[in-house]
Amino acid sequence: MELSCRHWELIVLVCAVYVTWGLTDSIQAPFYPIEADNKGANAAEYGAVFGIIHLAMFLAGPLFGRYMPRIGVFNVFVFGILGTAVCGCLFGLLTYVNDTWLFLGASYLLRILEGVAEAGAWASVLTILSIQYKEHVTYVYSLTQAAFGFAEILGPSIGGIMFEYGGFILPFEFSGTLCLVVGLLIIFRLPQLLDSSLDDHESKPSESQQFTKLLKNPGVLIALAGTIFGAVCQSFIETFLEEYLAIFGLSVTQIGVSFLAMSVPYMIATPIWGWLVDTCVQPEIISPLGNILIICSLFLIGPVQYLNILPNYELTEIGLGLIGVGTAATLTATFALTQKHALLVLPDLDKDNSSIVSGLWTSAFALGNFLGPTAGGPLEFMFGFQGTTPILQGWAVLMLVLDLVVLCFYQTKNLYARKKSAGSRPELYTRIE
């Protein structure tokens, strides 16, 4: 893979930013309910604080994708970096708010604003990667997702330790300040690290018709549906696994370690799938493989009720590893597939409209993270964990069927993603018609 030191420096800085975003997203999980309880709020009142950030990202993502050419990619990037950092720092100050409803209102407001900022940050970063790493964009994207997943793993543990020694304010000031420092570093370095100015890729705002064309294309919609599904699987398991594992009589530490069975394989598999997509395997093949792994994993996680198998901790851990690898494949492949199908609709996508695709994919990913715990909560309450996993399995079967339809009948075979020869490397998904 032919990347210069300058290219690798940008990758390291972008991955570092994703680490800070992962910490900001996840660091409050162990102790925010404790603080909210102390303020007089109950779980029904503060429960949506965790998911509202993803709803805000879902609503704001397409707007940034649509209007980024007018606002400017770099301007949106700066807004996303600084907005996320400021919201993270301000959240820690809520410990000084004693009124219950004011505490809740400020919590929701800051999480919504943080979601809007992160939507801009994610969409702008994906646009920058699409411009800077045309030949390796899926691999570089997968590295950023591995970094984000790594931070999501560490965030709750770091937050719990800091809360124990520094109270509610310390974890947020730490994550917010870290986000600000790393963000300022990449803001100042970015212009020197790019091969060309971002202004050269900003187009006149004729995005409305292009946006509509993308949303009417079945291939794009199937790819985005796959993104939503992968995110739903992750967020549902992360939200409700702890309650299920309680039947095994595990300690808090053992439950925390059990989560690593999904997170670590996801972190390791994501860059591997990304490298495969960028070098030798088309995403139309990777996506069904991911869904097959998810289907198999859901036989073990729970396990599904219709098998009449008693819950088994070892089988659950194996299933978590499989779903980690499977969702890594699904999300990596759907990111590439969204680009490929969009290129069929907008032939000049790589020059003018990559921000639209970035915004759509960010929005789909955020929607999945919102739906997992939000829609999964009532289902888990009615059917239990073991009764809900077959629903995810049925969804996986549907996505597998759609993947096979895409593989057999869609025009993405007219797009190329590999070297033509040792001396000629095309841009990612160059037409070969």
Side-chain angles (χ1 to χ4, degrees):
M1 191 164 290
E2 302 168 4
L3 295 174
S4 66
C5 292
R6 181 164 49 84
H7 289 143
W8 280 110
E9 180 184 350
L10 179 58
I11 291 173
V12 170
L13 288 175
V14 171
C15 287
V17 169
Y18 269 89
V19 168
T20 65
W21 292 341
L23 288 175
T24 304
D25 278 356
S26 63
I27 202 167
Q28 78 283 349
F31 60 85
Y32 179 82
I34 299 174
E35 186 74 12
D37 287 336
N38 292 337
K39 302 294 184 182
N42 59 50
E45 293 168 341
Y46 66 72
V49 168
F50 294 97
I52 198 71
I53 186 173
H54 300 295
L55 179 61
M57 289 181 67
F58 164 67
L59 296 175
L63 295 178
F64 280 114
R66 180 172 177 177
Y67 294 108
M68 198 183 306
R70 179 181 298 175
I71 302 172
V73 177
F74 186 75
N75 293 333
V76 172
F77 179 70
V78 172
F79 164 76
I81 290 284
L82 299 182
T84 302
V86 170
C87 288
C89 291
L90 289 178
F91 209 94
L93 301 180
L94 295 181
T95 189
Y96 300 113
V97 178
N98 295 317
D99 181 79
T100 301
W101 291 109
L102 186 58
F103 173 82
L104 288 173
S107 296
Y108 280 105
L109 177 62
L110 286 174
R111 291 289 279 182
I112 290 171
L113 293 176
E114 185 178 345
V116 173
E118 284 202 18
W122 279 58
S124 59
V125 166
L126 291 179
T127 302
I128 292 169
L129 296 182
S130 299
I131 294 172
Q132 182 72 1
Y133 302 98
K134 292 177 181 178
E135 299 171 12
H136 314 296
V137 62
T138 307
Y139 174 70
V140 175
Y141 151 79
S142 67
L143 292 177
T144 64
Q145 289 303 296
F148 185 79
F150 174 72
E152 289 274 345
I153 295 171
L154 293 182
S157 300
I158 294 175
I161 294 171
M162 289 189 170
F163 175 76
E164 183 177 352
Y165 290 99
F168 185 81
I169 192 172
L170 180 60
F172 292 107
E173 301 312 310
F174 167 77
S175 60
T177 302
L178 184 64
C179 182
L180 180 63
V181 171
V182 176
L184 289 175
L185 177 61
I186 193 172
I187 286 172
F188 287 116
R189 286 292 295 151
L190 186 62
Q192 287 76 43
L193 297 176
L194 294 176
D195 291 335
S196 60
S197 172
L198 293 176
D199 294 335
D200 297 339
H201 300 270
E202 291 170 6
S203 59
K204 296 181 180 180
S206 60
E207 63 279 341
S208 179
Q209 293 180 351
Q210 297 152 348
F211 194 82
T212 303
K213 286 181 180 179
L214 288 178
L215 292 180
K216 288 182 177 180
N217 181 265
V220 173
L221 293 178
I222 291 173
L224 294 177
T227 302
I228 294 171
F229 170 66
V232 165
C233 288
Q234 283 187 337
S235 58
F236 174 82
I237 297 296
E238 290 170 354
T239 302
F240 300 106
L241 180 64
E242 180 179 2
E243 182 179 349
Y244 170 72
L245 290 177
I247 66 175
F248 299 113
L250 304 177
S251 67
V252 175
T253 301
Q254 288 173 319
I255 290 176
V257 172
S258 299
F259 276 83
L260 299 180
M262 181 177 72
S263 302
V264 172
Y266 174 81
M267 181 180 67
I268 295 173
T270 300
I272 295 175
W273 290 123
W275 177 80
L276 289 173
V277 169
D278 270 358
T279 55
C280 59
V281 183
Q282 294 283 1
E284 292 89 345
I285 298 175
I286 298 294
S287 185
L289 287 177
N291 285 316
I292 291 172
L293 288 173
I294 292 173
I295 292 169
C296 294
S297 72
L298 292 172
F299 282 119
L300 304 177
I301 301 174
V304 290
Q305 289 180 331
Y306 58 80
L307 291 181
N308 294 320
I309 299 176
L310 293 176
N312 181 282
Y313 178 70
E314 287 73 22
L315 288 179
T316 299
E317 292 294 279
I318 294 172
L320 289 173
L322 288 176
I323 203 168
V325 177
T327 53
T330 299
L331 292 173
T332 301
T334 56
F335 175 73
L337 284 170
T338 303
Q339 293 179 315
K340 293 186 76 171
H341 288 289
L343 186 55
L344 286 172
V345 181
L346 305 175
D348 294 328
L349 174 71
D350 59 320
K351 297 178 181 178
D352 299 326
N353 307 107
S354 56
S355 63
I356 298 177
V357 178
S358 301
L360 283 175
W361 192 91
T362 299
S363 182
F365 183 74
L367 178 60
N369 279 298
F370 174 72
L371 289 178
T374 305
L379 291 173
E380 201 274 342
F381 177 78
M382 289 186 293
F383 305 114
F385 187 85
Q386 289 178 272
T388 306
T389 51
I391 298 176
L392 290 177
Q393 196 174 48
W395 191 351
V397 171
L398 174 61
M399 294 310 306
L400 177 59
V401 171
L402 293 176
D403 282 342
L404 295 177
V405 170
V406 170
L407 180 62
C408 296
F409 300 108
Y410 267 72
Q411 301 178 42
T412 46
K413 62 185 178 181
N414 293 328
L415 302 177
Y416 197 69
R418 307 185 186 93
K419 284 185 181 181
K420 289 182 178 178
S421 66
S424 174
R425 182 191 296 271
E427 293 182 354
L428 182 66
Y429 308 136
T430 301
R431 287 175 174 272
I432 60 172
E433 300 171 312

